[in-house]
Amino acid sequence: MAGDVIGCCLNVDGGEISFYRNGRPLGVAFRGVRRHTPGMAYFPALSLSHCERCALNFGGMPFRYPVSGYRPIQESPKKSLLQVGALVLEVLDVVACSDIVRDSLTTDEYFLMVDSLCAKLVPALLSPYFVDGTLIPFLLERTSGEGGELAAPRCVSLLSENLSDEEISSLTRSVFGRISELCRSSFCAEGAAVTGSRNHPYLRLGIALLENPRIRSTFFASEESFVEPIEGMLSQKQPNSHDLAALLPEVWWEGAEDAGIDEGEMKAACSSLEEAMAAVEASQVRLLLCVLRHSRGTFKALLRAILSKNKGALRNVQPPGLSDNSVLTSLYYALLRLVRPLLAENNEKLAALLPSSAFSEMFLLEEEPGHYSDASRLGGAYSHLRKTVEVAGLAETELEVTVPYQSVLNAGTMASEDSRALYESIFAGYHEEFLRCVEDDGELVALVFDGINWLYHLGLASKCKQASLQLQNQVSAISQLEDAAKRRDQAEPTNPEYHKHLKEACVLFREDVVESVRQCSWFKALLYPTWKQEAMFAACIFQTRLLLQISNHDRLLQFVPESYVETVMDSFHAFRRGHPPVRFLLGHGLEDVVTFLVLHFNDDRIVNLDVRDVMFQTISVLLLHRDFVVAFEENRSAQDSFIESLLSCFDSRFWIPVSNILLRLCKGMGFGQKRTNESTSLIFQQLVQDTCKAKPDLYAAFLNRLFTIMNWTATEFTVAMKEIQEREESLVRGLPPTSSDLTQQQRKCSIMFELSVNLLRLLEFVVRELPASFLGAESSSVVNVDRLLETMSFVLQHTTVGPDSVLFERIVVGAQHLTVLEKVSRFAILAPVTGILTNLFVAAQERLEEKKSDLNDFVERVASSRIDVACLEYLAHFVTGEVSSKPDLPSQQRLGNFQDFLSALKEVQTEREARVEVDDLEIPEKFLDPITYNLMRDPVALPSKVVVDRSTIVRHLQTDQTDPFSRAELTMEMVEPEEALRGEIEEWMSQQKTTK
């Protein structure tokens, strides 16, 4: 793990090589190592992965964790040099601290003595071994021993005044380089068995030394000299399992009461960890303020250097030299503490400090800042935008970002004396000093807010995802432990081997739970203190309002980096996935997030479809929870444009998230579904109906794509079933492919089945809300119902009875034993089919009673389709058995409607058998449609002079806007009805009935 110190010990006498980690033995790695003889030597070597780096120490520096009985390969400096240096350092400190010495000597004598002592100390100070082994421990002891105040020992002042520029520069580099390494390799807290020391004292020492003017000016003389040490002091070493075990020896979790674990000890240990981390973070804020006090230019240079250095952190192959993730996380929270009070309600300081055009200028700089180079913009590549978008005047665009956000720490939900005191201690003091240093530098304030965005995007986002994954692992481990313990307790004592196996499994599962709980406790202390969640949410709302302001300017939005949108989406989810989820925050500013999502998930100015896909996923996840559904229902923008934008996005790229969102809004309304109010929205269901009626062209395009995609998924599902059969037969014969290929096909089969079911459920919802589009006399309604019945016929033939259903039967039987196919079930796909047919039958009956269905009888349509009555009888029998065994009263009532539909269909079938079918007659060729070769009912002439049936050309134009014979452009307005031919067809049909 980053920051660990690995020790390698070579026992020449015993011929063994052993390793240590942070002073803890890892055991003997190699035995029988040959002794060194003339002509043979030992060559140290190590292996590093991509972007990894390390520092080697063969004895040139004091060992961090010396091992008794072993000596370094490299000889240390002469003891006389170290001893003299230590003695002179002690004397110099006494001289600096003693007023008696100063008073007993004249000024010249005093400075002569100090100069002489410093001259004698210089050779030691130039030795890294002395700096690490003597000077830093000496300064550390003196710094921490002055009542906790951050003041460097007085001898430091004497040294800074008497050393030459070259000597002070060398000493500063050496001291801060070593402090940086010690901070990287030390943990923030200490426990009974944690090896090494804490990093906080080293951090405090670095800050104290920077209080000295000459040391500070030397340290900040060049960017190359201070960025790396500052990064080291901002780092937080990730604890390994041994560190966590020492810090949290007692582990408690919900449901662990029977294990004899003390919950109080666990909470006390977690509190100690949080306090230690809070102390380090407070010092890191002071470190940044120290940089800012030196100069605002240095502060800007530091922030830009760290951001530029890590701009490739999200690449698949990361470039070398990136900062540790903890550096970005620490810097993010430190900056957030400095500016959080600016985001308070009615705070006028933000408008005074931040120029209204600051972000416009930042996004449109001709020479991109280092961390902006290669950064994707919402409108595409920056170089392309500069060439294609008119940028004149854009940089002067003024943005008025108001912050009507009330802190939950000092008002509202958590208002109390303790929370207000917490707010003051965490934010107020540092913020006031920040304002004094900034003065009126609006560029710096804008850079800080920009840096907060990039630091989250490049560093903290991955940390939050790790925490979420670890929490999922904890839940899974606890579930496995409880299941194993339950089976252990229920196991028969007559089977001792099985009982022993279960006991061993419980031990292993418990170890996994303990490790997961400790890791989650670490992430909770690092990421989920209330003040961090609150401040991060305030930054999220500020950034959302900034984006809403920018979106009002058509061209400017295209220049915004994609990270601004991704950070808003991801940070919003971080609260929802928190430990515990900080739900009380979401009532503050949630409307802004919903407004941005609704207005821009279908914004053409956002050219990267992956960014829009992230917004789709966010909407889909939010609509799983009732409180978020209410927020969408109450949002004015969602009421006006949400449904229309969803239907517009139902295309080859976004049909999956759109269908998921629509299904969430009508969840529990389908046949056989469990009723739920969690995400169902009657408001949006009505909006779907109203939008489709108000936008018939949009609805027609949506319905056409729905049928097209549904046919594709159903076909792919049947293909996947056939491929599974072929691979199973190949495995039986011992031929390739392998079992992994079979598993891949099973996974594909499961996915295509689930997608087909979702689309059928969506069609069921559409049929229920808009039955008129399938039951009208218009040619579009005829085409719609024909396509629907074709789809129903295909699904029934492959899932009920008949030769095509054999494969599905094998898959359903196999799904009972295979986890990968567990979602494949007969009821899942037949339930929406039942709902579709029932909904249309009921709607047709209602229209018949109102005398509005003279020209289109749904039952007659089904009877003339390819749907086999035997399939419907099987469907009725199967669904009746499934629904009657469940407490689902609405579905049971609708089942009676389906039985009525089946009875009516059988009656029509009987009547049709008594009539001469048109298909059995010899039809004149001029009455046949040249494309489908069916009898035309409503012939129309195309511009190419070819006559086809109206329903045929309507269906053709849904996918192709050209004449199928001449390939010229074609619309329905260009076709001409053939009334004479239609009369001939009707007369011919009448004659055939008379003949019969």
Side-chain angles (χ1 to χ4, degrees), residues 910-923:
T910 302
E911 294 177 1
R912 290 175 64 87
E913 290 174 0
R915 301 198 305 262
V916 174
E917 295 297 333
V918 172
D919 294 341
D920 298 332
L921 300 175
E922 186 175 343
I923 305 172

Side-chain angles (χ1 to χ4, degrees), residues 444-468:
L444 188 147
V445 177
L447 178 61
V448 168
F449 280 111
D450 183 62
I452 287 173
N453 164 75
W454 285 101
L455 289 168
Y456 183 94
H457 182 65
L458 297 173
L460 190 62
S462 61
K463 212 74 168 179
C464 291
K465 290 174 183 176
Q466 290 177 23
S468 177

Side-chain angles (χ1 to χ4, degrees), residues 211-410:
E211 295 295 333
N212 183 280
R214 191 178 182 204
I215 292 178
R216 185 169 64 245
S217 62
T218 302
F219 180 70
F220 291 118
S222 67
E223 186 177 308
E224 292 77 13
S225 66
F226 70 81
V227 173
E228 193 73 21
I230 292 289
E231 282 192 28
M233 289 186 278
L234 288 173
S235 64
Q236 287 264 33
K237 183 178 182 296
Q238 177 84 13
N240 56 46
S241 57
H242 295 290
D243 293 330
L244 288 175
L247 291 166
L248 303 173
E250 294 292 336
V251 176
W252 178 90
W253 62 91
E254 195 70 34
E257 293 85 359
D258 298 335
I261 301 172
D262 187 355
E263 179 183 358
E265 291 186 14
M266 171 73 174
K267 290 185 176 180
C270 290
S271 298
S272 298
L273 177 60
E274 291 179 10
E275 291 173 2
M277 196 172 295
V280 172
E281 291 172 341
S283 293
Q284 289 172 341
V285 178
R286 297 188 66 174
L287 174 64
L288 287 187
L289 288 173
C290 185
V291 178
L292 187 57
R293 282 196 301 271
H294 176 71
S295 80
R296 294 194 292 270
T298 302
F299 184 88
K300 295 176 188 177
L302 172 66
L303 185 52
R304 285 171 177 152
I306 293 178
L307 294 176
S308 299
K309 180 180 180 180
N310 293 279
K311 63 182 180 182
L314 301 182
R315 295 176 186 169
N316 292 331
V317 179
Q318 295 180 335
L322 296 177
S323 305
D324 186 75
N325 184 275
S326 65
V327 175
L328 307 181
T329 302
S330 299
L331 186 56
Y332 172 85
Y333 284 124
L335 293 178
L336 205 54
R337 287 174 82 155
L338 295 178
V339 300
R340 169 62 189 90
L342 289 175
L343 305 180
E345 187 178 26
N346 299 324
N347 191 331
E348 299 178 355
K349 294 180 180 178
L350 179 62
L353 279 175
L354 189 62
S356 56
S357 61
F359 286 98
S360 304
E361 295 173 357
M362 184 183 302
F363 297 151
L364 286 156
L365 287 174
E366 290 191 18
E367 293 187 7
E368 295 181 280
H371 59 288
Y372 272 69
S373 61
D374 300 330
S376 298
R377 309 295 180 103
L378 293 179
Y382 181 73
S383 58
H384 173 72
L385 289 173
R386 295 289 302 191
K387 297 175 183 176
T388 58
V389 178
E390 177 59 46
V391 297
L394 273 186
E396 290 77 35
T397 303
E398 295 186 354
L399 306 170
E400 297 180 4
V401 184
T402 58
V403 190
Y405 176 74
Q406 191 174 24
S407 170
V408 295
L409 283 177
N410 60 6

Side-chain angles (χ1 to χ4, degrees), residues 405-408 411-413 537 541 584-592:
Y405 176 74
Q406 191 174 24
S407 170
V408 295
T413 308
F537 191 78
I541 299 304
F584 64 80
L585 291 172
L586 303 183
H588 302 260
L590 179 59
E591 181 181 359
D592 298 319

Side-chain angles (χ1 to χ4, degrees), residues 789 792-805 826 830 833-834 837 862 865-879 898 901-902 905-906 909:
L789 294 177
M792 298 300 100
S793 174
F794 184 87
V795 173
L796 290 171
Q797 288 174 8
H798 287 83
T799 57
T800 54
V801 294
D804 292 333
S805 64
R826 198 184 303 275
L830 291 184
V833 172
T834 307
L837 297 175
V862 176
S865 69
R866 298 179 181 178
I867 296 180
D868 191 345
V869 175
C871 293
L872 294 176
E873 290 176 337
Y874 177 91
L875 175 63
H877 175 74
F878 174 78
V879 173
F898 185 77
F901 159 71
L902 188 57
L905 179 63
K906 291 180 179 178
Q909 288 279 39

Side-chain angles (χ1 to χ4, degrees), residues 515-818:
E515 177 66 19
S516 296
V517 171
R518 284 173 175 155
Q519 290 288 345
C520 287
S521 299
W522 158 257
F523 281 115
K524 183 178 180 180
L526 177 66
L527 302 175
Y528 299 124
T530 303
W531 75 263
K532 289 185 178 180
Q533 294 281 71
E534 193 273 347
M536 189 162 67
F537 191 78
C540 173
I541 299 304
F542 169 79
Q543 197 157 308
T544 303
R545 284 191 160 260
L546 173 65
L547 289 171
L548 286 172
Q549 279 285 309
I550 294 174
S551 65
N552 294 330
H553 306 274
D554 291 339
R555 294 172 294 156
L556 184 57
L557 182 66
Q558 300 178 69
F559 287 88
V560 176
E562 292 177 355
S563 65
Y564 271 71
V565 175
E566 293 171 349
T567 294
V568 168
M569 299 297 103
D570 196 272
S571 60
F572 189 75
H573 286 303
F575 312 115
R576 192 181 50 79
R577 296 191 300 250
H579 181 50
V582 190
R583 301 299 290 272
F584 64 80
L585 291 172
L586 303 183
H588 302 260
L590 179 59
E591 181 181 359
D592 298 319
V593 177
V594 173
T595 300
F596 180 77
L597 286 171
V598 169
L599 292 179
H600 299 293
F601 73 86
N602 191 32
D603 195 331
D604 292 335
R605 292 174 294 177
I606 303 177
V607 298
N608 188 343
L609 299 183
D610 291 336
V611 176
R612 292 170 60 186
D613 197 42
V614 169
M615 300 172 73
F616 268 113
Q617 293 173 19
T618 301
I619 295 174
S620 183
V621 170
L622 293 182
L623 290 177
L624 287 172
H625 307 283
R626 186 61 197 168
D627 47 0
F628 294 122
V629 173
V630 172
F632 273 82
E633 290 176 339
E634 296 175 349
N635 186 274
R636 185 64 185 175
S637 299
Q639 296 171 7
D640 293 341
S641 62
F642 184 39
I643 297 301
E644 182 178 348
S645 297
L646 278 178
L647 298 181
S648 300
C649 288
F650 193 82
D651 53 23
S652 58
R653 171 61 189 259
F654 294 119
W655 65 271
I656 293 179
V658 170
S659 58
N660 288 338
I661 292 171
L662 291 173
L663 287 175
R664 277 164 173 64
L665 296 176
C666 64
K667 186 177 181 180
M669 306 300 292
F671 182 86
Q673 285 187 322
K674 183 179 179 181
R675 296 296 185 264
T676 176
N677 293 324
E678 186 64 23
S679 63
T680 302
S681 173
L682 297 178
I683 294 176
F684 280 116
Q685 291 177 28
Q686 183 62 45
L687 285 173
V688 170
Q689 186 177 141
D690 295 342
T691 302
C692 291
K693 291 179 179 179
K695 306 280 185 179
D697 293 339
L698 175 64
Y699 172 57
F702 163 74
L703 201 57
N704 176 53
R705 289 192 293 265
L706 176 59
F707 280 124
T708 301
I709 297 173
M710 190 187 310
N711 291 336
W712 174 76
T713 57
T715 303
E716 286 296 312
F717 172 59
T718 59
V719 171
M721 290 192 296
K722 293 178 181 178
E723 290 175 344
I724 289 176
Q725 181 187 28
E726 293 172 358
R727 279 160 174 73
E728 288 177 344
E729 292 174 353
S730 298
L731 287 174
V732 170
R733 295 194 299 268
L735 301 175
T738 62
S739 58
S740 61
D741 298 319
L742 176 61
T743 303
Q744 183 178 357
Q745 288 302 323
Q746 290 171 340
R747 187 176 293 109
K748 174 188 173 183
C749 179
S750 178
I751 292 173
M752 300 312 299
F753 175 83
E754 190 174 1
L755 292 175
S756 300
V757 170
N758 287 345
L759 292 174
L760 284 170
R761 284 295 185 189
L762 184 55
L763 181 59
E764 180 186 9
F765 168 67
V766 171
V767 166
R768 181 172 66 86
E769 295 295 325
L770 299 157
S773 57
F774 299 88
L775 300 176
E778 302 85 2
S779 57
S780 60
S781 298
V782 175
V783 171
N784 289 339
V785 74
D786 286 344
R787 297 187 72 180
L788 181 143
L789 294 177
E790 289 174 7
T791 302
M792 298 300 100
S793 174
F794 184 87
V795 173
L796 290 171
Q797 288 174 8
H798 287 83
T799 57
T800 54
V801 294
D804 292 333
S805 64
V806 176
L807 285 177
F808 184 74
E809 184 68 31
R810 293 182 59 181
I811 294 295
V812 171
V813 174
Q816 301 174 4
H817 311 287
L818 295 173

